[in-house]
Amino acid sequence: MTKLIKYKKREMILVLVLLLASFIIYSISPQFVSSVNIINVFNNNALLGIMSLGMMMVIVTGNIDVSVGASFAVCNMVVAAYANNTGGKNPFVAVLIGMLVGAALGAVNGIFVTLLRIPAIVVTLGTMNIFRGILYFITEGRWIEGLTGPFLGFANRRVLNIPFAVYMWIAVIVITYILLYRTRLGRNVLASGGNKEAARRAGIEPNASTLTAFIYLGILTGLAASLSASKLGIAQPSNGLGYEMTLIAAAVIGGTLFSGGTASIFGTFLGMLLLGIIDNGLVLARVPLYWQDLVTGLIIILAVASSAFQSFSKVRSRRKTIKIEGDPACQD
Amino acid sequence: MSTPLLELKNISKSYSSVRVLNNINFSVVPGEVRALVGENGAGKSTTVKIIAGVEQPDSGGEIYYNGELIHKMTVKHSLELGVSVIYQDLSLFPNLSVAENIVKGSEKKFFVGLNTYKKQASAVLESLGVDIDTSLLLSELSIGKQQLVAIARAMYSEAKLIIMDEPTSTLSSTEVELLFDVIARLKESGVCIIYISHKLDEIFTVADSITVLRDGEHIETGAIDTFDQEKLIKLMVGRELRFVPFHGTDIGGSGTTFSVNNFTLEPYFRNISFDVREREVFGITGLVGAGRSELAQSIFGIRKASSGEIFLGGEKISISHTNDAIQAGVCYLPEDRRTQGLLMGQTVTRNTTSANLRGVSNKASLISGQKEKKVVEEYIERLAIKLPSIESHIERLSGGNQQKVLISRWLNAGPRVLIVDEPTTGVDVGTKQEIHRLLRELANNGVFIVLISSDLLEVLAVSDRVLVMRNGNAADLVETKSASQESIMEKSLLG
């Protein structure tokens, strides 16, 4: 237990904050703690929750992706167009297509960042506009609606009263865990995020890690976009606006450091849940909409401030590791 | 003699125009402990990086491993061949656990079993005779323990050639004994070790043979019993005089001084005191890790010394921030101009005036382009800076001219004290001489000059007295007129 508190300090704090927030909301509006509402909270945040784990992976490598909302819209429209043309007969293929398109968009970002060595924020700001621009150009802003067949609503189908999308969220959490901690690929991602030069000297190619992370985020974005099309039965080119900020917020609240190398899957899950609960609770408590933004904003700043503090102490401890004077010409 | 495990033939390496290695030739055999020695900048680390595949040698050089020519040594390839390096900066992962750090780079399977690695890592640490919890994060360990983890990592990889770059710099004496035991065991099992150290007593304890490098050249290789300390030092420093000396005259003058009293900042340096007299260039030298740069940075307010006082012309000045230092006229030319000095992507003009923007501002406190231009052109002429235009970006200039721009920046700030840290690294010989002349000229004009340098010839040629630092202590203060490279090197090494 003491080990748990020591190593999972941030997660423990988040659990406490979650409980506290839940209690406050409950005391204002008791229907918060009904199975219907709780399942709703999970269901409403499942898609963002899936994507947040990909965003976490990208941040671990020391990068960022703000094009993810636009990628979501592209995948969303492609999947909907496919489902529309085939009468929604083959949901499995539809999801696969969504994930492939997502992977391709992620690869575009990753290649720009690694091969051309352009900072990720610049690349993804650019691709954000490019992806959405092309989408508007092709669709001329039209929606795709009236999806039918088995595709429609499969993401809402319930087993044990829990929607399919929530199961997918859980599955992605498990897969991300295995990928990041139990495969060489994931360990290399962590290593190159922690110390790029040391990684290179250990025979790890940091660029491969970066590319992997961007593609992984792309795949999860494609998955979420497919689920979204299935849930709603419509897709529109303006979907996914502002997702990037929520995803970054969830990862950062969960303890992912912008300096790279440090991630928490459980923390990211809790971060997403906290944002979801607050949204939900404020609605239940009939708090005006603008207060929601304010509260969310405050939480993000608090989380980022503590994250920055962690980064700072991390940098300090790293400075201690490097006791040698800094001049490369002098390191003989 | 068995066939060499590793053989370097005609290895050279240049960074832009500066040649750091020139036709290096040596070979090592299995079961041998080879000490690689030389001054700072002799080319030891570059040699290591080439063997490890981190850097590629210039064309013409050949690397043989087990008698086979290696066409392109990459990091991956060298790891596969069984080369493992314990880098001076350790090159570990602070965000990963001890176990992961030990196995990183040697994992065989795609899927990682948590417990097997933990067990294997513990086993290696145990065989080293150290007790470290392998589930701790690396950043939670002391530097000494991290060093042991780096050693464990090399052992885990079952390397045939282990290169240790200053492995004992952070170890306690018992840990050093432990390391020597390990080296003896590795040697017995046929592992070859290239051991880099500044500590001569260690070298004579542990090595079978020695290779001496100097200024990127191979000087001598021989069995340990063909060397003694005196000979070794001589070989390390034995260069011919390259610089015209610029010693001062009328030192002392009116008697005003720049004094640093009892400066301490653990673990870098302690109780350092010195006075710089008028018209004097005061040198500070020492090996890497002696604490020279940290001392200078503390005087300048980048780091905060835990105790100590500074007096300038008899008046006490307190510096808690670099701005205080600049206000008081204390300026510092940092050792790594690329990361600590230059404003990359900015013009020569902006680089020159950045430390004193008030000086180029008009009455409304707006920066005047005309004033800037005048100032910059003045320095370009005075320091003979060669550049395409004052509006060109600083990175387009050669190393020597970049350094001159940085010196101009401080001259423009009106220095009373100028601390220059390795002012001539990566600078061609002609420019070195110009910088030496300039330092002397400034000293003659009443600026207190502190010259920090690893280049003993430079220290001897330019400074009047030199403080030798060793492991953060003031080892000795010597008059350069009566000193030689050998005597200073001996003090830096042995005290």
Side-chain angles (χ1 to χ4, degrees), chain B residues 346-353 376 380 385 387 389-394 397 405:
Chain B
Q346 299 283 341
T347 61
V348 171
T349 306
R350 287 187 194 146
N351 267 285
T352 310
T353 56
V376 177
I380 287 171
I385 303 174
L387 75 180
S389 132
I390 63 170
E391 292 309 316
S392 30
H393 282 188
I394 190 75
L397 274 59
V405 168

Side-chain angles (χ1 to χ4, degrees), chain B residues 31-32 181-191:
Chain B
E32 179 185 13
D181 280 352
V182 171
I183 290 177
R185 262 188 284 152
L186 288 170
K187 200 177 128 173
E188 239 163 68
S189 58
V191 174

Side-chain angles (χ1 to χ4, degrees), chain A residues 182 184 187 261 321 331-332, chain B residues 43-45 95 110 112 146:
Chain A
R182 289 305 189 86
R184 211 163 54 192
R187 293 300 181 90
T321 15
Q331 289 197 348
D332 258 64
Chain B
K44 292 167 294 177
S45 291
N95 59 323
F110 183 74
V112 179
Q146 294 188 11

Side-chain angles (χ1 to χ4, degrees), chain B residues 73 163 178 183 197 251 295 341 343 375 408 416 468:
Chain B
M73 190 67 113
I163 305 173
L178 222 106
I183 290 177
S197 180
I251 289 168
L295 172 67
L343 306 173
V375 166
S408 310
R416 295 178 65 199
V468 183

Side-chain angles (χ1 to χ4, degrees), chain A residues 58-105:
Chain A
V58 168
I59 300 177
V60 169
T61 63
N63 289 292
I64 200 156
D65 186 350
V66 296
S67 75
V68 65
S71 308
F72 179 89
V74 173
C75 298
N76 194 225
M77 289 299 284
V78 170
V79 170
Y82 170 79
N84 204 20
N85 288 342
T86 56
K89 262 183 242 138
N90 210 333
F92 183 74
V93 175
V95 173
L96 206 63
I97 288 174
M99 289 179 10
L100 280 174
V101 172
L105 298 178

Side-chain angles (χ1 to χ4, degrees), chain B residues 50 58 219 349 492:
Chain B
I50 284 172
D58 298 345
I219 301 301
T349 306
S492 329

Side-chain angles (χ1 to χ4, degrees), chain B residues 281-423:
Chain B
V281 172
F282 187 84
I284 299 179
T285 192
L287 298 165
V288 167
R292 303 162 306 171
S293 295
E294 287 84 356
L295 172 67
Q297 288 165 4
S298 305
I299 295 171
F300 187 55
I302 296 173
R303 296 166 189 262
K304 187 111 179 72
S306 52
S307 66
E309 293 173 317
I310 304 172
F311 292 90
L312 180 52
E315 247 174 80
K316 188 181 163 177
I317 52 175
S318 67
I319 294 172
S320 53
H321 187 265
T322 52
N323 216 8
D324 303 339
I326 296 169
Q327 291 297 326
V330 177
C331 300
Y332 170 65
L333 183 77
E335 64 171 334
D336 187 351
R337 65 172 165 270
R338 288 201 308 166
T339 61
Q340 300 165 348
L342 299 170
L343 306 173
M344 287 295 182
Q346 299 283 341
T347 61
V348 171
T349 306
R350 287 187 194 146
N351 267 285
T352 310
T353 56
S354 63
N356 182 13
L357 288 172
R358 276 207 191 91
V360 292
S361 300
N362 60 23
K363 277 178 194 149
S365 278
L366 295 173
I367 293 166
S368 148
Q370 274 173 344
K371 278 192 183 177
E372 262 195 318
K373 194 166 169 227
K374 219 179 117 206
V375 166
V376 177
E377 279 171 349
E378 188 189 313
Y379 285 112
I380 287 171
E381 203 189 315
R382 182 169 159 200
L383 274 64
I385 303 174
K386 289 181 200 74
L387 75 180
S389 132
I390 63 170
E391 292 309 316
S392 30
H393 282 188
I394 190 75
E395 50 267 46
R396 289 189 51 197
L397 274 59
S398 72
N401 285 308
Q402 287 179 349
Q403 195 70 310
K404 285 179 174 176
V405 168
L406 287 181
I407 294 173
S408 310
R409 178 193 291 171
W410 289 124
L411 296 184
N412 186 39
R416 295 178 65 199
V417 178
L418 182 60
I419 306 169
V420 291
D421 197 348
E422 302 286 358

